[in-house]
Amino acid sequence: MKTLNLGILAHVDAGKTSLTERLLHTAGIIGELGSVDDGSTQTDTLALERARGITIKAAVVSFALGDVTVNLIDTPGHPDFIAEVERALGVLDGAVLVLSAVEGVQAQTRVLMRTLRRLGIPVLLFVNKLDRRGADPERVFREITEKLTPSAITMDPDRVIDLLATLDEDFLTGYLTEPDAFTPSRLRAELAAKVAEGRAHPVYFGSAITGAGIDALRDGIENLLPAKEADVHAPLSGTVFKVERAPGGEKIAYVRLFSGSVAVRDKVPLGDGEGKVTAISVFDNGSAVPSASAEAGRIAKISGLDVRIGDVLGARPRMREARFSPPTLETVVSPVRPADRGPLHQALTRLTEQDPLIGLRHDEVRQETSVSLYGEVQKEVIQATLADEYGIDVTFSETTTICVERVDGTGSAAELIGTASNPFLATVGLRVEPGSGISFRLEVELGSMPYSFIKAVEDTVKETLREGIHGWEVRDCAVTMTHSGYYARQSHAHGTFDKSMSSTAGDFRDLTPLVLMAALREAGTTVHEPLHRFTLQTPADTLGPVTALLARARAVPRTTLTKGGTAELEGEIPAAKTHEVHQLLPSATRGEGALETSFHGYRPVRGPAPSRSRTDHNPSDRKEYLLRVLRRV
């Protein structure tokens, strides 16, 4: 069985979900086209998706195309839900990138195409909405070749030959020598090979609403994108790209099976352990249907496994890894009813299972929970989900920017067992210095004390680094354990364990934050703010007001290129100012300016370092920390 896992991607409102509906209707899966405006589409099933007319959660639906089973994945187009797109890209065999014949290449279109090309995913482009007033397919095709890919090609035989000759010298030699040998079917095979390599990008034109151009697009999907015959006899290998909850609370994992097979009641390798499959559904003729098993190539819904997104079943597959930006915004979520504080934290924890790029921070002292976000629309989604699925009404604080801390130099600290200032039965010494990522090393002998004590120090170091001197997560830090010591297990004469004379892992967990924070203070940390790279296109005569706007936003233009009546600026802008520039740009450019931004990294904050309230026991204040920890102990 040949399968093709196909993604449909686009900038918001380009008509992506409408195209999905048309493909399903043409395949005979649905008898009547759904409408985004009416909220009756096949893949947008959430109430908020239907109400707003946007895709929030990736959806899977299957149909047959010739001898190929297509698993079609409809992904969100709104930038706030880029995490959903990221997870889908890892399981795709090919993609259709949808553009509007009216708006042309938009900001998110460029971000998606860059990512698809970097990952080597074969792409067809579909210019939609030819039936709309203002549609200009020739202009849009020029934009595609200028802004997305120089290897874009319409399906005209002469143009196909020209592109293949440009891309492949052997093809050119063969065609000049024996042109009659290159029949239409051979040309199609040659083009399919270049599409599979990510070197050619066929462009189709039509309308999802009227059905124009859909047959040609279907032919391209069937014959140009690389459907695969997977190895069902190889060892099991699959990856979880989506998790949802059944009405009874049981996890349901969406798994792309790369090889092998899985059956109900199978025990499958899962990380360091295993899980038992209790139910399987596979996608067939438009919906998920119960099945006793699922084979390689399929996307299966599997119950019974305690998994998170990104987990691997069996052997780790070779798959593409997308690298989208981390969320750079944060807000405090508060329940309208104080009695809902406990249920709210539990509900938010479940939501992070479905979106691992949304992080949680819970402050036990203030009884506040913060969530990290990509944008303001996510607030509305979280609010609606909590109300609809959990019956919890919430409000949000003002959105703030998430900074990070980086270590400036080298710092060391140690606390020795048996000294008056150390109330814990442990010796811990740590040295911190700049590094790549977070690493933990030993300068003490591994056998100098029980491994469980060393592991307690390592785990606590990584947990403590989530909140540095200023309360932000510490990045790129190497931590070395320089001192260790413990009291061996002591017993009374009658053989009972004496905690007051014996070290436990808890002593090391409680002491490590104090030592680590002292070492960080000696090394020093600098707060860095998230930075976006921007590309801004604007009429050349508005360059003055635009430059002033960027200066107020602390943006740094690196290049300015004027071509005809259009100016294009590229540079960096603090993430905290991106939303403000988006709002003010229309008035500065008569509504003609277009701003595209993408995460670029971090830079040191200028001026006083911002701080964030702590959610731990505050090891930066020794007296406060000991009062809290010793009272807890």
Side-chain angles (χ1 to χ4, degrees), residues 10 19 52 64 81 84 137 162 171 180 244 294 349 360 363 367 383 385 387 392 404 475 520 526 556 569 571 609 625:
L19 177 60
R52 288 191 61 116
F81 311 112
E84 283 289 315
D162 289 344
F171 172 86
D180 292 340
E244 63 185 19
T349 301
L360 288 186
D363 186 339
Q367 287 295 296
Q383 188 175 44
T385 303
I392 301 173
V404 299
R475 300 276 184 90
L520 281 174
T526 299
V556 180
L569 298 84
Y625 179 81

Side-chain angles (χ1 to χ4, degrees), residues 428-633:
V428 175
L430 298 172
R431 181 176 68 249
V432 300
E433 53 200 326
S436 177
I438 301 298
S439 61
F440 181 78
R441 307 162 184 164
L442 295 179
E443 276 185 6
V444 300
E445 291 186 13
L446 187 59
S448 62
M449 65 180 185
Y451 175 72
S452 61
F453 294 172
I454 295 176
K455 189 69 168 65
V457 174
E458 180 180 0
D459 291 345
T460 306
V461 162
K462 293 176 180 178
E463 183 178 341
T464 304
L465 288 176
R466 294 174 184 170
E467 298 183 16
I469 296 172
H470 301 280
W472 306 104
E473 181 181 358
V474 179
R475 300 276 184 90
D476 300 324
C477 178
V479 181
T480 304
M481 189 172 182
T482 57
H483 297 72
S484 66
Y486 74 107
Y487 287 160
R489 183 183 179 90
Q490 303 291 322
S491 302
H492 294 292
H494 47 74
T496 58
F497 172 61
D498 188 349
K499 163 68 178 72
S500 65
M501 300 169 59
S502 309
S503 299
T504 67
D507 289 303
F508 288 90
R509 282 193 294 268
D510 289 335
L511 179 59
T512 297
L514 278 177
V515 178
L516 180 59
M517 202 57 63
L520 281 174
R521 277 198 301 272
E522 183 176 288
T525 66
T526 299
V527 178
H528 289 63
E529 64 180 344
L531 195 65
H532 283 177
R533 173 175 287 152
F534 75 85
T535 300
L536 194 159
Q537 291 181 327
T538 184
D541 62 348
T542 66
L543 200 53
V546 166
T547 303
L549 172 61
L550 292 174
R552 290 195 299 272
R554 297 189 286 120
V556 180
R558 300 294 184 188
T559 62
T560 302
L561 176 66
T562 302
K563 185 177 180 181
T566 301
E568 182 170 290
L569 298 84
E570 292 186 351
E572 293 89 42
I573 181 173
K577 294 292 185 178
T578 301
H579 183 65
E580 176 185 326
V581 172
H582 271 292
Q583 287 185 313
L584 297 177
L585 187 63
S587 60
T589 63
R590 302 187 301 273
E592 298 180 47
L595 176 68
E596 174 194 344
T597 62
S598 60
F599 179 74
H600 185 54
Y602 295 90
R603 75 176 181 189
V605 170
R606 299 170 185 171
S611 61
R612 179 167 67 166
S613 60
R614 308 190 69 89
T615 61
D616 55 17
H617 292 293
N618 195 15
S620 62
D621 185 321
R622 184 182 184 88
K623 182 177 179 181
E624 180 184 346
Y625 179 81
L626 290 176
L627 281 173
R628 290 183 180 178
V629 172
L630 292 175
R631 183 183 298 125
R632 185 192 72 210
V633 173

Side-chain angles (χ1 to χ4, degrees), residues 154-173:
T154 58
M155 296 307 292
D156 175 271
D158 291 339
R159 293 189 177 183
V160 170
I161 291 169
D162 289 344
L163 179 64
L164 291 174
T166 302
L167 297 175
D168 190 333
E169 192 170 314
D170 290 339
F171 172 86
L172 175 60
T173 302

Side-chain angles (χ1 to χ4, degrees), residues 316-338:
R316 179 167 293 279
R318 287 186 177 181
M319 59 180 291
R320 311 173 182 96
E321 290 189 13
R323 299 189 303 272
F324 283 100
S325 63
T328 57
L329 303 175
E330 186 175 61
T331 184
V332 174
V333 187
S334 303
V336 173
R337 298 180 296 272

Side-chain angles (χ1 to χ4, degrees), residues 84-215:
E84 283 289 315
V85 181
E86 173 181 2
R87 294 193 285 275
L89 292 182
V91 302
L92 296 184
D93 301 315
V96 174
L97 182 61
V98 186
L99 299 87
S100 165
V102 180
E103 286 82 11
V105 174
Q106 297 170 277
Q108 189 72 353
T109 320
R110 298 175 70 168
V111 172
L112 291 169
M113 189 63 180
R114 273 203 309 267
T115 305
L116 290 166
R117 294 190 67 188
R118 174 172 56 79
L119 294 174
I121 297 175
V123 185
L124 307 181
L125 296 100
F126 183 71
V127 179
N128 190 28
K129 300 187 178 182
L130 282 188
D131 57 312
R132 297 289 182 90
R133 179 178 299 175
D136 189 343
E138 292 184 2
R139 170 183 58 82
V140 175
F141 184 75
R142 286 196 304 273
E143 289 183 5
I144 291 171
T145 57
E146 292 170 2
K147 300 177 181 179
L148 297 183
T149 168
S151 298
I153 181 173
T154 58
M155 296 307 292
D156 175 271
D158 291 339
R159 293 189 177 183
V160 170
I161 291 169
D162 289 344
L163 179 64
L164 291 174
T166 302
L167 297 175
D168 190 333
E169 192 170 314
D170 290 339
F171 172 86
L172 175 60
T173 302
Y175 185 78
L176 292 176
T177 304
E178 195 177 358
D180 292 340
F182 288 84
T183 62
S185 60
R186 181 174 176 183
L187 286 175
R188 186 168 60 188
E190 294 275 357
L191 179 60
K194 295 297 180 286
V195 171
E197 294 170 3
R199 300 177 64 196
H201 302 105
V203 182
Y204 299 86
F205 300 87
S207 167
I209 297 300
T210 67
I214 298 300
D215 287 343

